[in-house]
Amino acid sequence: MKKLIHSKPKILIRCNASLAEGPVWNHRTKEFSFVDILNQNIFICKNKKRIKKFYSKEMISNFLPSKNNSWISCGKNKVFQIKIKKNKIFCKKLISIKHKTNNRFNDASIDSQGRLWASTMDENEVSKSGNLFFFQKINSPKKLLGNFIIGNGIDWSPCKKKLYFVASDKRKIYIFDYERKAGKISKRKVFARIPYQKGKPDGLCVDSMGFVWVACWDGSCIIRFKINGKIDKIIKLPISRPTSVCFGGKNLNTLFITSARKTNKFNQTEKDSGNIFFIKTNVKGIKTNLFG
């Protein structure tokens, strides 16, 4: 097992987002995308000089590539198919979910079978009304988990036999046994607890060696966990609220990091918060699965 080597975090995109989330690297198109949930913006980046920004009339919490040159996204209580034509986005509602008024979709991922998994949260961050949904078929979601306030990152081990899921309010990353064909999860265990001084776990991703990377909201860091759940590395960041991470780039060895803007009681904004960062590493990620 080789030792992790990485560069210092640097700014990739100065977008000053309120809540940048859902970073994804599309290996087919060589594009990096993310959303700014609160401002209802979608960003698609070919490189530093080719960044396209799209405004959505609908709240968009995530933006995941499909096999048919479109995207699938979750909003407040809906799942959409999104297409882009002549620099405009078009949202087609696929299904609506019945959940509490203050709930909304949050993070989401596509499994190796091309199926959607999505978490929900209470926007007021009070009620334990968050859920984990699995869409065996897009019009027949299954509620697999609940009893938490903020459901967050979802990813799988390289062998596809384990599923990781974040419950932010509990400061826990859970691990499940995963049956790939059926999409069943079982034997829930606590994989890791985030130290109190390191904030709360947000979005995560798994690298090709099976190590788990998680963004720590209000912790000013990314934590890399070993397969046994022990901390391998803590990478300090120049901002307080990283929101999520993904691997991408030509060699899949660049870690992209989204972040949220932070202001103090005097309405002063933390320097560089809400921008997108990157870290070069000597390890590779796993290719993003496509929906469909």
Side-chain angles (χ1 to χ4, degrees), residues 17-250:
S18 293
L19 182 58
E21 271 280 12
V24 174
W25 173 260
N26 187 333
H27 60 273
R28 290 201 315 179
T29 62
K30 304 296 188 292
E31 291 175 329
F32 169 63
S33 62
F34 62 96
V35 298
D36 180 357
I37 297 176
L38 300 182
N39 290 322
Q40 298 178 201
N41 289 322
I42 297 168
F43 293 81
I44 302 177
C45 315
K46 201 75 173 178
N47 53 52
K48 287 184 179 180
K49 295 182 180 179
R50 294 177 62 186
I51 303 171
K52 294 183 178 180
K53 177 180 174 182
F54 304 92
Y55 174 75
S56 170
K57 294 180 181 179
E58 302 279 353
M59 171 184 274
I60 298 294
S61 299
N62 44 70
F63 185 68
L64 302 165
S66 296
K67 294 176 181 177
N68 60 355
N69 295 319
S70 64
W71 292 263
I72 191 160
S73 295
C74 304
K76 171 72 174 174
N77 67 328
K78 302 172 186 175
V79 178
F80 302 95
Q81 179 190 56
I82 294 182
K83 292 185 177 181
I84 298 176
K85 297 179 182 178
K86 296 181 180 180
N87 290 323
K88 291 185 178 181
I89 67 168
F90 298 88
C91 298
K92 177 184 177 182
K93 187 184 78 171
L94 300 178
I95 187 173
S96 295
I97 302 293
K98 290 183 179 179
H99 55 198
K100 291 188 176 181
T101 304
N102 291 327
N103 270 28
R104 70 162 172 84
F105 277 110
N106 196 26
D107 216 332
S109 291
I110 306 298
D111 68 18
S112 58
Q113 305 296 107
R115 302 169 302 201
L116 176 67
W117 293 69
S119 60
T120 64
M121 62 174 283
D122 172 27
E123 290 182 295
N124 295 331
E125 300 185 14
V126 175
S127 172
K128 290 185 178 181
S129 55
N131 292 289
L132 174 64
F133 285 95
F134 166 55
F135 294 77
Q136 175 78 44
K137 294 181 180 178
I138 201 62
N139 60 355
S140 57
K142 295 180 181 178
K143 192 183 297 183
L144 300 183
L145 203 63
N147 194 35
F148 47 82
I149 299 172
I150 304 173
N152 235 311
I154 306 159
D155 207 355
W156 294 263
S157 61
C159 65
K160 313 304 179 190
K161 293 182 179 180
K162 300 291 182 181
L163 179 143
Y164 298 94
F165 173 69
V166 171
S168 296
D169 53 293
K170 296 179 181 292
R171 298 180 186 270
K172 293 177 181 178
I173 303 173
Y174 292 109
I175 185 171
F176 299 82
D177 285 354
Y178 176 66
E179 295 180 40
R180 179 167 54 176
K181 289 185 178 180
K184 290 183 179 179
I185 56 175
S186 60
K187 299 180 181 178
R188 180 177 71 171
K189 297 178 183 178
V190 175
F191 170 72
R193 290 178 173 87
I194 306 302
Y196 186 83
Q197 67 273 22
K198 297 302 179 185
K200 296 179 180 179
D202 202 321
L204 59 69
C205 70
V206 180
D207 66 30
S208 59
M209 297 167 64
F211 287 62
V212 178
W213 301 66
V214 63
C216 295
W217 175 277
D218 277 336
S220 302
C221 68
I222 302 296
I223 301 180
R224 186 193 196 217
F225 288 95
K226 298 177 183 179
I227 298 173
N228 62 7
K230 302 296 183 181
I231 292 176
D232 173 67
K233 184 76 174 182
I234 297 176
I235 302 174
K236 294 181 180 179
L237 298 173
I239 43 93
S240 299
R241 291 179 171 175
T243 57
S244 194
V245 287
C246 80
F247 277 94
K250 182 179 179 181

